[in-house]
Amino acid sequence: MLRLGALRPVKPLVANRHLCDIHALITELIREFQPQAVAIESVFAALNIKADLRLAAVRGVVLLAAAQGDVPSFSYSPREVKATVAGYGHAGKEQVQQMVRALLGMTETPEPADAADALAVALCHIQIAEGRERLGINVTSKTTAVTRRYANRQPPAGIISVR
């Protein structure tokens, strides 16, 4: 882990400005760390349609920044992330945070919870990429290069994960 944090909107929320800020942040992170992949949590249908639409817009901006930076992106459902990291698809937030802490050898529980969830998405991607490599699954040539790096146990050049 090179950086951990969460972007919080300034009130009152101006949607277009906030989306521009997110795009600029992700673009800068891609330039700075030159990741091999961007892992993102998929939007799940909740009871609040307005919140779902805002999350989908943010997700689109992140995917756009990844595409502009020529970085492959991968999407994982919340249940898939929990099952991969905590071993149970309905694990609670605290369980996921504790597993992230243990898997990364951290001395403290990662905070805020959204940042810990983003680390869980990155760990999910790494584990799935390693599994694909072991099984010889070729998703794309870029993905193969990324997973080959993981399979050789070399530290990944980087994954940006967004939740």
Side-chain angles (χ1 to χ4, degrees):
M1 178 187 65
L2 300 174
R3 186 175 296 170
L4 174 69
L7 181 63
R8 300 286 181 215
V10 178
K11 300 289 181 182
L13 181 62
V14 179
N16 293 339
R17 179 76 255 152
H18 189 58
L19 292 175
C20 289
D21 292 345
I22 292 168
H23 183 270
L25 175 64
I26 298 300
T27 300
E28 180 56 34
L29 290 171
I30 288 171
R31 270 194 222 113
E32 182 178 349
F33 295 109
Q34 299 178 350
Q36 297 296 312
V38 170
I40 189 166
E41 189 174 69
S42 60
V43 176
F44 59 95
L47 297 175
N48 188 338
I49 300 298
K50 271 184 147 177
D52 289 346
L53 290 173
R54 282 192 297 261
L55 287 173
V58 169
R59 187 174 187 278
V61 167
V62 170
L63 294 173
L64 173 64
Q68 288 173 331
D70 199 29
V71 179
S73 57
F74 301 86
S75 183
Y76 302 98
S77 72
R79 186 172 292 168
E80 187 175 18
V81 172
K82 291 175 182 180
T84 303
V85 174
Y88 177 58
H90 296 286
K93 217 171 238 321
E94 298 80 21
Q95 287 175 291
V96 172
Q97 284 178 297
Q98 290 304 316
M99 285 304 298
V100 166
R101 177 183 176 180
L103 289 168
L104 294 177
M106 300 173 78
T107 56
E108 295 182 21
T109 302
E111 291 288 342
D114 288 336
D117 289 344
L119 289 173
V121 174
L123 289 167
C124 173
H125 173 70
I126 290 169
Q127 290 181 19
I128 289 175
E130 286 178 340
R132 287 178 181 150
E133 179 64 24
R134 273 191 241 103
L135 295 172
I137 297 172
N138 184 1
V139 178
T140 68
S141 58
K142 285 183 183 179
T143 303
T144 302
V146 170
T147 56
R148 188 170 295 120
R149 176 181 292 259
Y150 299 145
N152 293 335
R153 298 292 179 204
Q154 298 170 357
I159 297 171
I160 292 178
S161 180
V162 180
R163 179 186 183 282

